[in-house]
Amino acid sequence: MALKPIDNALLLPPETIKLGVYEENKTAESLPPSADPIIDYILSENLEPISDPESKIHGLVEELDSKDWTKVCESLNDVRRFALYHSLLLLPILEKVILVAVKAMKNPRSALCKTSIMASSDIFKVFGDQLLDSTINAFDNLLLQLLLKASQDKRFVCEEADRALNAMVKSMTPLPLLNKLRPYVSHSNPKVRAKAAITISKSVSKMGLEGMNEFGLVSLVQMAADLLNDRLPEAREAARNIVTSIYEAYTRNEEQKQESWQNFCQSSLPPIHAQSMVKITSSP
């Protein structure tokens, strides 16, 4: 039996029949490509000196304050070049540069945020403890932003912030750095507490008993005891590392290491905390 034609069949537009594609696909293909520029993340070892640094330094702060975020990225890379090759020229405006870097870290554009974090790493490597001489809390603002960025979910920003915090620990004297980090182990954000604890554990591992005593050995042990009960496992693991570093420094010249450590913990902490400390160091 012959089939009757269906009068109300869906008719495709002629151009669709001709091209063999749906009209919406054709429209999508005709849209202009994204205009967002691609930012290159340059490793420190690939940065080169500035050809005329004495002239360039005069306009650096103004360039960092540009409304064009790509220009700010370029200027932040110039900051890195100044830090690595012309640090004496950068030093007089370093606080202003750090505040601009902190502002860039708060920007929702991840590329700008990451570039500013990379700049902070190079600044740490070159200037180290000189950053603690700030008179306008530039370092405090920078430290907080790095802890916040290291705690966020954007992986490539988080990892860059971790690298900056590591550069900070390697380049700065542990004692003054611990004093700066101490408040953040009580931060309301558990991820910030964990990052602060990890950074503290790395700083403590660089200290001897003399430095620990100068900070306050009992205060350091109590801080570790509190972190052992933190919500996040990263903070608890950092606390165990802190305890191990303190134990090794405290008992270095002791013959009865575990006994000496137990007596110290019992005299410095509530019984339940002292027991936890002794258990960490007695584990194989």
Side-chain angles (χ1 to χ4, degrees):
M1 182 176 67
L3 296 176
K4 295 181 179 180
I6 303 175
D7 294 335
N8 62 347
L10 178 63
L11 296 177
L12 295 176
E15 59 269 35
T16 302
I17 298 173
K18 181 179 179 181
L19 297 175
V21 294
Y22 287 101
E23 182 66 22
E24 55 265 30
N25 287 348
K26 175 186 168 187
T27 303
E29 290 173 1
S30 66
L31 290 174
S34 173
D36 281 351
I38 297 174
I39 300 298
D40 291 328
Y41 303 114
I42 308 172
L43 297 176
S44 298
E45 53 267 31
N46 294 334
L47 290 167
E48 297 180 352
I50 294 171
S51 58
D52 187 7
E54 288 81 4
S55 297
K56 184 73 173 176
I57 194 68
H58 294 299
L60 184 60
V61 173
E62 183 178 350
E63 291 169 359
L64 286 167
D65 201 33
S66 171
K67 301 300 181 182
D68 184 341
W69 70 273
T70 61
K71 296 293 184 183
V72 179
C73 285
E74 293 175 7
S75 298
L76 285 167
N77 280 327
D78 285 338
V79 167
R80 299 172 65 198
R81 296 162 71 195
F82 270 109
L84 295 171
Y85 298 107
H86 319 284
S87 59
L88 291 178
L89 291 174
L90 186 63
L91 185 58
I93 60 170
L94 186 57
E95 288 188 353
K96 293 180 180 179
V97 168
I98 291 174
L99 291 178
V100 172
V102 169
K103 180 181 176 182
M105 286 181 200
K106 298 177 182 179
N107 193 286
R109 289 191 178 274
S110 297
L112 180 55
C113 179
K114 176 167 178 170
T115 304
S116 65
I117 294 172
M118 295 176 76
S120 71
S121 291
D122 288 327
I123 288 172
F124 283 135
K125 293 172 188 175
V126 174
F127 293 101
D129 288 344
Q130 289 177 276
L131 298 172
L132 298 172
D133 297 334
S134 168
T135 58
I136 54 174
N137 299 322
F139 176 78
D140 295 333
N141 293 330
L142 177 59
L143 177 58
L144 174 58
Q145 282 306 308
L146 288 175
L147 290 171
L148 289 170
K149 295 306 174 184
S151 305
Q152 69 168 235
D153 296 328
K154 289 182 180 178
R155 183 175 176 182
F156 82 112
V157 171
C158 175
E159 290 176 347
E160 198 62 54
D162 281 336
R163 283 190 281 270
L165 290 170
N166 287 335
M168 177 185 70
V169 170
K170 290 178 181 178
S171 63
M172 301 184 79
T173 305
L175 180 59
L177 184 56
L178 282 181
N179 286 322
K180 293 290 187 179
L181 287 164
R182 184 204 296 253
Y184 296 108
V185 294
S186 303
H187 198 276
S188 58
N189 185 330
K191 290 184 178 181
V192 171
R193 289 200 305 271
K195 291 297 181 179
I198 292 168
T199 309
I200 286 172
S201 72
K202 293 176 180 177
S203 292
V204 171
S205 69
K206 295 174 57 181
M207 300 178 79
L209 183 59
E210 182 179 351
M212 293 179 186
N213 279 325
E214 192 172 350
F215 176 81
L217 190 59
V218 173
S219 297
L220 197 56
V221 170
Q222 289 172 340
M223 181 193 302
D226 291 337
L227 287 169
L228 284 172
N229 297 310
D230 197 88
R231 284 172 49 191
L232 293 185
E234 296 92 336
R236 298 195 297 270
E237 179 61 27
R240 286 189 285 270
N241 292 335
I242 293 171
V243 172
T244 300
S245 294
I246 299 172
Y247 169 79
E248 291 175 352
Y250 187 80
T251 63
R252 187 177 302 279
N253 298 318
E254 297 286 343
E255 292 185 4
Q256 301 295 326
K257 295 182 182 295
Q258 197 62 30
E259 181 180 348
S260 175
W261 175 247
Q262 183 173 341
N263 290 338
F264 168 71
C265 292
Q266 289 176 343
S267 65
S268 306
L269 298 168
I272 190 169
H273 287 169
Q275 185 178 0
S276 298
M277 293 291 187
V278 173
K279 184 177 180 181
I280 290 172
T281 57
S282 61
S283 300

